Amino acid sequence: MASGADGRKYRSGTLAPGGVSAAAFSGTRSGPGLAPAFPGGMQMPEESLTITDNRTNITYTVPLHHGTVRAMDLRKIKTGPDDFGLMSYDPAFMNTASCQSAITFIDGDKGILRYRGYPIEVLAERCTFLEVAYLILFGELPTEPELKEWTDKITHHTMIHENTKEFMRGFHHDAHPMGMFISTIAALSTFYPDARNIQSRQVRNHQILRLIGKVPTIAAYAYRHSLGLPYVYPDNDLTYTENFLNMLWKMTELKYEPNPVLARAAEVLFILHADHEQNCSANTMRCVGSSHADPYVSVAAAAAALSGPLHGGANEEVLKMLDEIGSVDRVPEYVEKVKAGHLKLMGFGHRVYKNYDPRARIIKRTAEAVFEVTGRNPKLDIALELEGIALQDEYFVKRKLYPNVDFYSGIIYQALGFSPDMFTVLFAIPRTVGWLAQWQELLEDAEQKIARPRQDFIGHDVREFVALEDRVTKVAPVSD
Ligand code: CMC
């Protein structure tokens, strides 16, 4: 075992945090008094890193590509033939690219978000959600006939099997809608066994149509279930978001008339949430998909990852937090608690954005349009005060903590009449598109294999077995 920069013990051959991460292509015995790394005739790669292994005094040249080194190249750095070779150690993937992707680009320092090269601001202003979905999935904005055909196909997949309805009816009246959503998506796997043929692009595309068509229906049924209202069948005359509002809010009227401002707000919110590169749920989709599981169970797994309060579940937590604060004058006191480390400011901070989340800016503007129809949500004043204080305060400035997408979305959702437990379901509908695009990309990437990280084993070496009668208590009792 070797000691890392953090004082922990590391298995020989594992890079300790703070260590150099690199790969060995050409090994040359070098070091004080020895030959240089690139003796005459040897070509230095155009972009490369030079690493000296101080254990062996061997110097390696490591090629770089797009600012990355290949972790598998590290294995070539060995102390001898029996050595496993170096690994990189990166809990929570803080600095590891797990794939090459052409879908979504984020520059977290500049606050830039683009889908397939198009800035999010333009897409949110000029497109419909299904147009953006097509772009994300197929790489190009659709032509008019392509969009018509795509919309038509999705629209004809919005119905769910009557047995799925029955299945959903079985949930307790106060079941969390996200739990209902996740389980029902997984249950679709039992209705479409053909989906297991994930090798066929045609079969995959069919499931993509089904999933994008059905997620609003399942989400709306989960919502109606929590209110004890009968489920509403999809209306194919309406747009994707209008139909969603129809399935949520239609009562006894013969034909539901969606409010155009609210339908457009839903469209914008869906566009903003459609994809966000390798976040926790996208990574889950890729991880589960890499075992060649079918897309229904893979999307269910991704949705489960989304439900956590550090990810998509944060929008629900923001509302709870604003409720807890209660009034504008109590904001400074709350901020002090956050700074003291007692609480997190939900809807603030991001692994990638170290600047204002561009989605939060658009949502803030969308909120104003929604409030013209619904009336102003008084929570907005608390949120604005919270943002104002946080953006000035050294604690948040130093850590580059800015509002993220979840900070203002919940305030809109609440103004629309949703209870907080529905918020993450509203996030999951559009994100299904992103998950499916990541899944397609994974399955078409010849370099990808089943996701299977390594570990740095820190447990016991082999131990002598102790017979039951000779054992002494070493573990604290398990409380129930
Ligand atoms: N409130 C207070 N302090 C925070 C917050 C916050 N919301 N977020 C991060 N910090 C502090 C953190 O305590 C740490 O401080 P120190 O250096 O003194 O230990 C520092 O900032 C760095 O934070 P981190 O936890 O190392 O950052 P991370 O990249 O691991 O976590 C995050 C990112 C989004 C999980 C985190 O910022 C967080 O928990 N935010 C609140 C939950 C939230 O809003 N999540 C939604 C994310 S965006 C949408 C989505 O993913 O679905």
Side-chain angles (χ1 to χ4, degrees):
M1 292 246 192
S3 256
D6 59 354
R8 285 177 59 194
K9 296 284 182 203
Y10 291 87
R11 195 176 64 76
S12 157
T14 304
L15 278 184
V20 186
S21 159
F25 252 22
S26 58
T28 311
R29 205 156 275 285
S30 174
L34 291 175
F38 304 103
M42 211 183 205
Q43 273 284 310
M44 164 105 74
E46 213 170 275
E47 292 214 335
S48 64
L49 211 60
T50 302
I51 300 175
T52 301
D53 184 344
N54 293 327
R55 300 168 303 176
T56 56
N57 256 345
I58 296 178
T59 296
Y60 300 82
T61 309
V62 181
L64 299 177
H65 184 66
H66 285 166
T68 62
V69 291
R70 285 190 173 262
M72 272 309 283
D73 287 344
L74 291 176
R75 289 274 192 86
K76 294 169 191 163
I77 302 182
K78 294 180 177 208
T79 51
D82 294 336
D83 186 3
F84 181 77
L86 278 189
M87 292 195 289
S88 59
Y89 176 69
D90 188 12
F93 304 118
M94 295 288 286
N95 195 36
T96 294
S98 62
C99 62
Q100 292 194 318
S101 181
I103 304 169
T104 294
F105 172 80
I106 302 175
D107 183 328
D109 292 326
K110 297 198 183 117
I112 292 174
L113 169 61
R114 296 182 201 132
Y115 298 152
R116 302 282 187 184
Y118 296 99
I120 190 69
E121 293 80 3
V122 182
L123 297 173
E125 199 183 317
R126 309 275 297 270
C127 292
T128 62
F129 171 67
L130 285 187
E131 217 175 332
V132 172
Y134 185 99
L135 169 73
I136 289 176
L137 280 154
F138 305 109
E140 297 296 338
L141 284 165
T143 60
E144 227 174 310
E146 281 165 348
L147 180 60
K148 192 172 171 307
E149 192 191 346
W150 169 243
T151 306
D152 198 55
K153 282 184 173 155
I154 300 276
T155 306
H156 286 93
H157 280 288
T158 47
M159 295 279 279
I160 57 174
H161 195 288
E162 285 295 300
N163 284 355
T164 316
K165 260 175 62 184
E166 293 309 315
F167 172 84
M168 293 186 80
R169 271 207 191 99
F171 283 103
H172 206 49
H173 67 93
D174 60 355
H176 195 291
M178 199 56 186
M180 288 182 72
F181 182 83
I182 295 164
S183 332
T184 310
I185 298 291
L188 290 184
S189 157
T190 64
F191 289 89
Y192 306 114
D194 53 319
R196 276 183 236 151
N197 181 9
I198 55 98
Q199 304 295 355
S200 157
R201 186 169 227 268
Q202 200 193 352
V203 171
R204 289 204 302 270
N205 281 341
H206 196 186
Q207 315 317 315
I208 286 174
L209 292 172
R210 279 175 170 157
L211 270 159
I212 298 174
K214 290 178 201 326
V215 282
T217 314
I218 292 170
Y221 284 12
Y223 172 75
R224 305 272 302 195
H225 184 87
S226 66
L227 298 177
L229 292 170
Y231 304 157
V232 174
Y233 284 113
D235 180 342
N236 288 357
D237 295 340
L238 301 174
T239 67
Y240 189 80
T241 46
E242 286 172 349
N243 173 49
F244 180 50
L245 304 187
N246 159 65
M247 293 186 292
L248 289 168
W249 293 326
K250 184 171 184 290
M251 298 305 274
T252 52
E253 65 272 41
L254 285 180
K255 181 97 182 155
Y256 178 77
E257 300 261 346
N259 178 302
V261 176
L262 301 188
R264 182 62 207 163
E267 201 95 52
V268 171
L269 285 163
F270 278 9
I271 292 170
L272 298 180
H273 286 89
D275 191 51
H276 212 232
E277 54 122 300
Q278 305 313 312
N279 52 78
C280 180
S281 56
N283 184 56
T284 305
M285 182 77 197
R286 282 180 174 265
C287 182
V288 177
S290 79
S291 76
H292 293 180
D294 77 52
Y296 300 102
V297 294
S298 303
V299 167
L306 186 76
S307 71
L310 298 187
H311 192 8
N315 53 18
E316 185 176 340
E317 298 303 315
V318 170
L319 253 287
K320 285 188 201 151
M321 174 183 80
L322 296 177
D323 274 342
E324 195 187 324
I325 297 173
S327 59
V328 169
D329 57 308
R330 294 189 55 202
V331 168
E333 182 193 327
Y334 195 86
V335 170
E336 285 312 311
K337 282 191 204 156
V338 172
K339 285 163 63 180
H342 301 313
L343 301 160
K344 264 189 169 177
L345 197 52
M346 298 313 284
F348 255 72
H350 200 275
R351 172 63 60 79
V352 181
Y353 291 121
K354 300 301 166 198
N355 201 325
Y356 211 101
D357 182 336
R359 301 168 299 174
R361 193 171 282 127
I362 300 169
I363 291 184
K364 211 169 150 185
R365 278 205 305 271
T366 309
E368 298 297 345
V370 169
F371 295 159
E372 298 266 314
V373 178
T374 62
R376 193 178 163 87
N377 185 340
K379 303 265 167 48
L380 182 66
D381 295 326
I382 304 175
L384 287 171
E385 181 73 8
L386 206 49
E387 177 187 324
I389 293 185
L391 291 182
Q392 307 279 324
D393 193 289
E394 204 216 329
Y395 175 95
F396 299 91
V397 173
K398 205 172 94 193
R399 291 170 178 78
K400 299 189 176 166
L401 300 171
Y402 292 86
N404 59 49
V405 69
D406 293 316
F407 193 65
Y408 287 107
S409 62
I411 297 174
I412 301 188
Y413 295 146
Q414 196 179 48
L416 291 174
F418 294 108
S419 64
D421 59 3
M422 196 51 203
F423 295 176
T424 314
V425 177
L426 300 169
F427 189 155
I429 299 168
R431 184 53 63 85
T432 300
V433 167
W435 293 328
L436 291 168
Q438 299 285 343
W439 176 69
Q440 281 277 41
E441 195 174 61
L442 163 95
L443 294 174
E444 291 182 352
D445 182 345
E447 243 194 332
Q448 288 290 347
K449 286 167 174 267
I450 186 165
R452 205 305 183 182
R454 292 278 173 175
Q455 64 172 3
D456 172 17
F457 180 70
I458 55 166
H460 288 282
D461 211 340
V462 65
R463 296 210 278 179
E464 193 114 341
F465 183 76
V466 183
L468 186 57
E469 60 276 17
D470 297 333
R471 290 175 210 161
V472 290
T473 298
K474 290 182 183 163
V475 179
V478 181
S479 55
D480 52 13

